[in-house]
């Protein structure tokens, strides 16, 4: 979740997948295993699951859905998976590479130049594979980018248009690849990927993720935006730390998630059971159904692309 205020440890989503084959098993209860972890790190709630051989074999929950509400967390609760959704955006891009609508070396200017004219030449030369691997030179969120995300245009434009408007607002900047390692965690880069996907398909990213990822994999709890139904505490809420240090639940409304234009960046939510099913599909290497992409495409998508130097107190994403 992006915010102009500091982010507190909130609900924690934990997934573990083992790709070795094995017989189907009953789902073991992990509640007792998770409870001391929740207590140690003073989290409102925690959910976890383990998948083996493509099947969920263990799951559990501890704590509450939201501070201030005595409603226990469960393994069926929707939870914000944050930037784990970037892997789903990358998978959508991979399907389009297989269809010939994109290439790994398609550039931002090649795909979006007509929609966003006058782009800085270095930005226009950034390749899809660089955006997906955070190695384009586009930096982590800067104050200028935050001002672009949190603007008043959301009430007057569709999300696809807002993403293009965001790129247009930043188009005069020059991406700079750091020395030593090209890695810079870039939300803005994944927003651009979303626009590239939309340009070559003529369809909104929000529709494509349902059609290409959620529905084929049977992720029935998957959705976009804040996981709670307005007026109900029926999912795991995000939490924020106020200026006075108090941790409060963000239940509904605009403050409960990042700006909607950032869907390709990280607005996906789902239950821990569905998250484990997604992880099990990925660790299957494309050999377990459904056949969303060829195994060799998934292997390329998940292969190491960049390395980062060791750094003290690394920021999130590194």
């Amino acid at each position: 979740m992006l915010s102009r205020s500091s982010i507190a440890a909130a609900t924690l989503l934990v997934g573990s997948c083992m790709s070795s084959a094995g017989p189907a098993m009953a789902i073991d209860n992990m509640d007792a295993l998770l409870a001391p972890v929740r207590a140690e790190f003073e989290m409102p709630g925690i959910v976890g699951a383990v998948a083996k051989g493509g099947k969920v074999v263990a799951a559990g929950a501890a704590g509450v859905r939201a501070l201030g509400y005595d409603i226990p967390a469960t393994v069926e609760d929707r939870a914000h998976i944050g930037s784990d959704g970037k892997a789903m955006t990358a998978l959508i891009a991979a399907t389009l590479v297989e269809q010939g609508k994109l290439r790994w070396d398609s550039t931002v200017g090649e795909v979006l130049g007509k929609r966003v004219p006058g782009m800085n030449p270095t930005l226009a030369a950034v390749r899809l594979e660089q955006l997906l691997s955070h190695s384009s030179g586009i930096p982590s969120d800067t104050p200028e980018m935050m001002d672009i995300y949190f603007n008043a245009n959301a009430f007057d434009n569709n999300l696809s248009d807002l993403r293009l408007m965001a790129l247009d607002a930043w188009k005069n900047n020059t991406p700079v690849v750091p020395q030593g390692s090209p890695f810079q965690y870039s939300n803005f880069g994944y927003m651009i990927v979303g626009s590239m996907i939309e340009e070559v398909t003529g369809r909104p990213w929000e529709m494509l993720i349902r059609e290409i990822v959620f529905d084929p994999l049977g992720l029935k709890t998957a959705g976009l935006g804040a996981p709670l139904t307005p007026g109900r505490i029926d999912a795991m809420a995000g939490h924020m730390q106020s200026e006075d240090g108090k941790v409060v639940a963000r239940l509904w409304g605009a403050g409960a998630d990042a700006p909607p234009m950032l869907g390709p960046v990280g607005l996906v939510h789902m239950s821990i059971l569905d998250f484990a099913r997604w992880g099990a599909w990925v660790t299957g290497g494309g050999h377990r159904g459904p056949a969303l992409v060829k195994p060799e495409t998934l292997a390329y998508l998940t292969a190491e692309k960049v390395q980062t130097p060791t750094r003290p107190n690394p920021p999130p994403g590194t």
Side-chain angles (χ1 to χ4, degrees), residues 190-222:
Y190 262 79
M191 186 195 65
I192 295 174
V193 172
S195 289
M196 294 173 73
I197 287 169
E198 292 175 324
E199 182 65 19
V200 300
T201 61
R203 307 187 67 204
W205 173 91
E206 286 76 11
M207 295 179 69
L208 294 171
I209 193 169
R210 292 186 180 276
E211 295 171 5
I212 294 174
V213 183
F214 296 170
D215 293 346
L217 292 175
L219 307 179
K220 298 185 183 302
T221 64

Side-chain angles (χ1 to χ4, degrees), residues 16-308:
S16 176
C17 294
M18 297 177 287
S19 60
S20 59
M25 299 173 60
I27 297 180
D28 290 335
N29 189 298
M30 293 170 54
D31 293 2
L33 180 67
L34 295 174
V37 179
R38 187 213 64 78
E40 178 182 355
F41 293 97
E42 300 180 338
M43 292 176 290
I46 180 173
V47 289
V50 177
K52 182 178 182 180
K55 302 292 184 181
V56 179
V57 297
V64 296
R65 291 173 174 172
L67 283 179
Y69 299 87
D70 190 20
I71 304 175
T74 77
V75 296
E76 301 286 352
D77 291 346
R78 300 179 303 277
H80 184 79
I81 71 168
S83 286
D84 288 312
K86 286 183 172 70
M88 299 176 181
T89 295
L91 178 62
I92 297 171
T95 67
L96 299 176
V97 169
E98 286 194 345
Q99 295 171 22
K101 295 180 179 180
L102 284 172
R103 304 182 315 277
W104 298 121
D105 63 353
S106 292
T107 66
V108 177
E110 176 187 352
V111 178
L112 297 174
K114 291 182 179 179
R115 302 296 300 275
V116 184
M119 214 181 299
N120 178 288
T122 303
L123 176 59
V126 166
R127 305 186 303 276
L128 173 64
E129 60 186 358
Q130 292 177 300
L131 294 172
L132 295 175
S133 59
H134 299 284
S135 60
S136 67
I138 298 175
S140 300
D141 295 324
T142 64
E144 180 183 1
M145 288 175 176
M146 295 298 284
D147 286 340
I148 292 172
Y149 300 149
F150 292 89
N151 63 70
N153 294 331
F155 296 97
D156 300 314
N157 297 276
N158 286 322
L159 299 181
S160 297
D161 294 331
L162 285 170
R163 289 188 269 270
L164 288 173
M165 292 168 66
L167 176 57
D168 187 72
W170 200 79
K171 68 181 181 182
N172 294 322
N173 288 275
T174 303
V176 178
V177 176
Q179 292 184 350
S181 171
F183 182 85
Q184 293 180 103
Y185 193 87
S186 179
N187 288 315
F188 203 89
Y190 262 79
M191 186 195 65
I192 295 174
V193 172
S195 289
M196 294 173 73
I197 287 169
E198 292 175 324
E199 182 65 19
V200 300
T201 61
R203 307 187 67 204
W205 173 91
E206 286 76 11
M207 295 179 69
L208 294 171
I209 193 169
R210 292 186 180 276
E211 295 171 5
I212 294 174
V213 183
F214 296 170
D215 293 346
L217 292 175
L219 307 179
K220 298 185 183 302
T221 64
L224 302 171
L228 277 70
T229 303
R232 295 179 178 175
I233 311 297
D234 59 352
M236 298 193 69
H239 291 73
M240 302 293 290
Q241 188 173 31
S242 61
E243 292 184 359
D244 62 2
K246 184 180 180 181
V247 177
V248 296
R250 291 292 183 96
L251 303 177
W252 320 292
D257 210 331
M261 77 165 76
L262 296 177
V265 174
L267 297 190
V268 175
H269 63 248
M270 63 183 65
S271 72
I272 187 62
L273 298 177
D274 275 345
F275 187 56
R277 293 179 185 112
W278 154 254
W281 180 84
V282 174
T283 59
H287 298 288
R288 286 195 283 261
L292 304 184
V293 290
K294 298 174 183 177
E296 54 267 32
T297 300
L298 187 57
Y300 181 84
L301 192 65
T302 56
E304 181 181 287
K305 299 295 188 298
V306 297
Q307 293 183 333
T308 62

